[in-house]
Amino acid sequence: MASIGEALGIALDLHQAGRVDEARTLYGRILDADPQQADAHHLLGVLLGQCGDSDGAGASIARAVALNPARSDFHLNLANLRRASAAIDDAGRHYAHALALRPDNPEAAARLGAIRAGQGAEGAALALADSVLDNAQAVSVEALTALGIAIGRFDGREETAAALLDRSAAREPASAAVQAQLGLLRQRQGRLDAAAVHYRAALRQRAEFPAALNALGALALDAGRLDEATACFTRQAASDPADPEPYRWLGRLHRSRGRFGEAASVLAQAEALAPGDRDTGVALAVTLLTLKRPNEAEAVLAALAGAGPDDPLVLYNLGQARAARKDPDAALAAFRLAVALAPDVGDLLHALGNGLTGIGCARQGARWLERALPLGGERVDWHRSAMLAVLYVPGVDPERRFALHRRLETVTAAPAPLARPSVTPDPERRLRVGYLTSDLRAFQPIARNTLPLFENRDRAGFEVTVYAHVLEPDATTERFRALSDRWRDIARLDDATVAGLIRDDGIDVLVALGIRFDHNRPQVCRYRPAPVQVGFHDAATSGLSEIGYIVTDRVMTPRHGTERFTERPLRLPSFYLAAIPADAPPVGPPPMLRDGVTRFGCFNNPAKISDETLDLWARVMGAVPDSVLVLNYLDAYRSRRCVGRIRDRLAAGGIDPERLRIGPTEIEHPAAHLARYAGIDIALDPFPFCGSTTTFEALAMGVPVVTLPQDTMVSRWSASMLRALGLDELVAGSGDAYVAIAAALAGDPARLSGLRAGLRGRLAASPLCDGRRRARQMERLYRAVWRRWCRQQG
């Protein structure tokens, strides 16, 4: 028989030679002979651990520690086992024992340092890191890397972490993991170029390294290296097809490049891999909405809302999808619930305000829009929406209304005016006029009103440049482009860049068209890119001191009116200008001649139909007992709530709701829309936001319009047109007069027939259709304000 010591030596030789079964048997026999043999327990535990029996290994080495707690290597190996099984606190205790027994053990120090870092013991972790750096050659690469990663999480301690990881990289230069960790560390330090170098080094060692591909792709995307980012995320997706993350990044990347179809495809893949993931689902739905696929977007969001009914972000986007699907009532329900859950989120308040305004509840809508403003910071679109909504509300205090318009300037930072190239103040030279607009498309009122100016302009005296934020150009857009001397597409440019273009083009007079509407850009004017800036086709003051003038006429802004402007009004003899559509149907006789029923009508946006307007209309219908009211506007009357509000208000005024007639709830071709005027006898203008395009259309179809101007420009467009046609008798000075005018027309079929027969001809011969005359008038205005600027320079 060999001694215990000799047997232990033989077992260790067998163990090291890889003869595992024989070594295990011999360790067992030794322990049978001497159950207190600590070395045998320890070595058996090491062997069991190598064979994958972590429980058995832990039990054996723990027994060895109990028998001989003074052995540093016993504690170190037991700590490694405990760390591998995620028993971190227990591992830390044994690493500490190992280090106490042998202070010069850098492996134990590295392992313990990583644990202390994870426990938040910053001082202890850094002290251990210093000792490891002094003896780095005696520490395994794995331990060095683990300590470097852990220390790197301490703010401001990245250099210590980098030193550890650099030692790891020097010891094992082919380690992709170490290079990736160095990349992450450099990224946290803000050294993005160095981070990219390390990520690329990691990928040279391991071509399909998902984490490195993801990190490098994100860096490339943020740096604008879009092709590199695309390649990284595509490779990541190929290397790990079950991971939705690269598809999410590709979705973001494609969206940034305007490739919304590709974005939707990859986001759908991400959503399929992680069904129910809220962020992926919302990103997919928003992309589908951009692609005008609201039904698909709603399906995605409805599923998310079913799983998480209290998520305001999901509900907000669900409301947007329903609004895009032309279901305003369902959209409002989603917005209301979202606001109830998150009453301090501006996007939700803004969406609810817009939704309410759109169905005619402008008083409520304006309140929500104004509540959103303090939460929106410098959101210019929010200010424009509030500035528009307040114009629909009767009885608003003029000072409050003016203050709301001034808010756009007072709460947004004013950029420094651009340095302009030297401009010769020559009052008579050819002027460079610029138009800033998003509205040069078919069926846009501003395009309709502006096109005759372009068609009849003085090319010798004026050079025209258009700065067009037109998202979906059409044939009308191309017509404007052909009529311009220069065309600048600004849809993808920021305000500062657009202002720089205007300055560099040497524009003398910049004309901002309808800045509160659609996608127009008032903030461009705040850079003062042109010496003279003019507002045109707006509904009220811009509130911006940088815009010096606003074009209007003598009726819309009387000289002693009470409405306040930051601009100086430039008054034309008359304002509105358009051409009678070539495909307008013939004017027929009043429909009342067929059956004696007077058909009053209004084809305006229901946002304009205030409660006060409905009360007055109820009085009109009461004065004409056999009358009905016909309403039509695009597809707005799909809203049951909108129609219900109108019915209820008329009923409160004593009118049977059955006397209300709602037109089709689908958008019609313009010629079909014009043909509907043949079905009404008299048009009733709403207030305080009256008709303009609808008034012109009614007159073109022979339908007289009764209007009640108020104290604002936006309430006086119809009055301006009627006075230009010599139809002052249709302009009421009070509610009683409005009722009397409408009732008198209804009671005089012969007069109504005569008006109807002659209105189109009168309109065609009027200044409202004289593009040449209006072009000369506008050019005289431009020349006058330019001369004034030149005098000021002198």
Side-chain angles (χ1 to χ4, degrees), residues 646-699:
I646 294 169
R647 289 184 184 277
D648 291 346
R649 198 76 187 191
L650 291 175
I655 301 303
D656 183 352
E658 294 303 313
R659 293 169 66 185
L660 178 65
R661 304 282 187 271
I662 299 298
T665 56
E666 301 294 333
I667 297 176
E668 297 180 301
H669 186 274
H673 163 70
L674 285 175
R676 294 206 168 270
Y677 283 99
I680 63 173
D681 297 289
I682 302 164
L684 299 179
D685 207 23
F687 63 89
F689 200 131
C690 73
S692 57
T693 299
T694 50
T695 299
F696 183 87
E697 289 174 342
L699 296 171

Side-chain angles (χ1 to χ4, degrees), residues 720-753:
S720 170
M721 290 186 229
L722 292 169
R723 292 195 188 281
L725 294 176
L727 294 173
D728 298 55
E729 68 272 18
L730 300 181
V731 181
S734 66
D736 289 343
Y738 186 99
V739 174
I741 293 168
L745 279 173
D748 192 343
R751 180 186 172 208
L752 194 60
S753 297

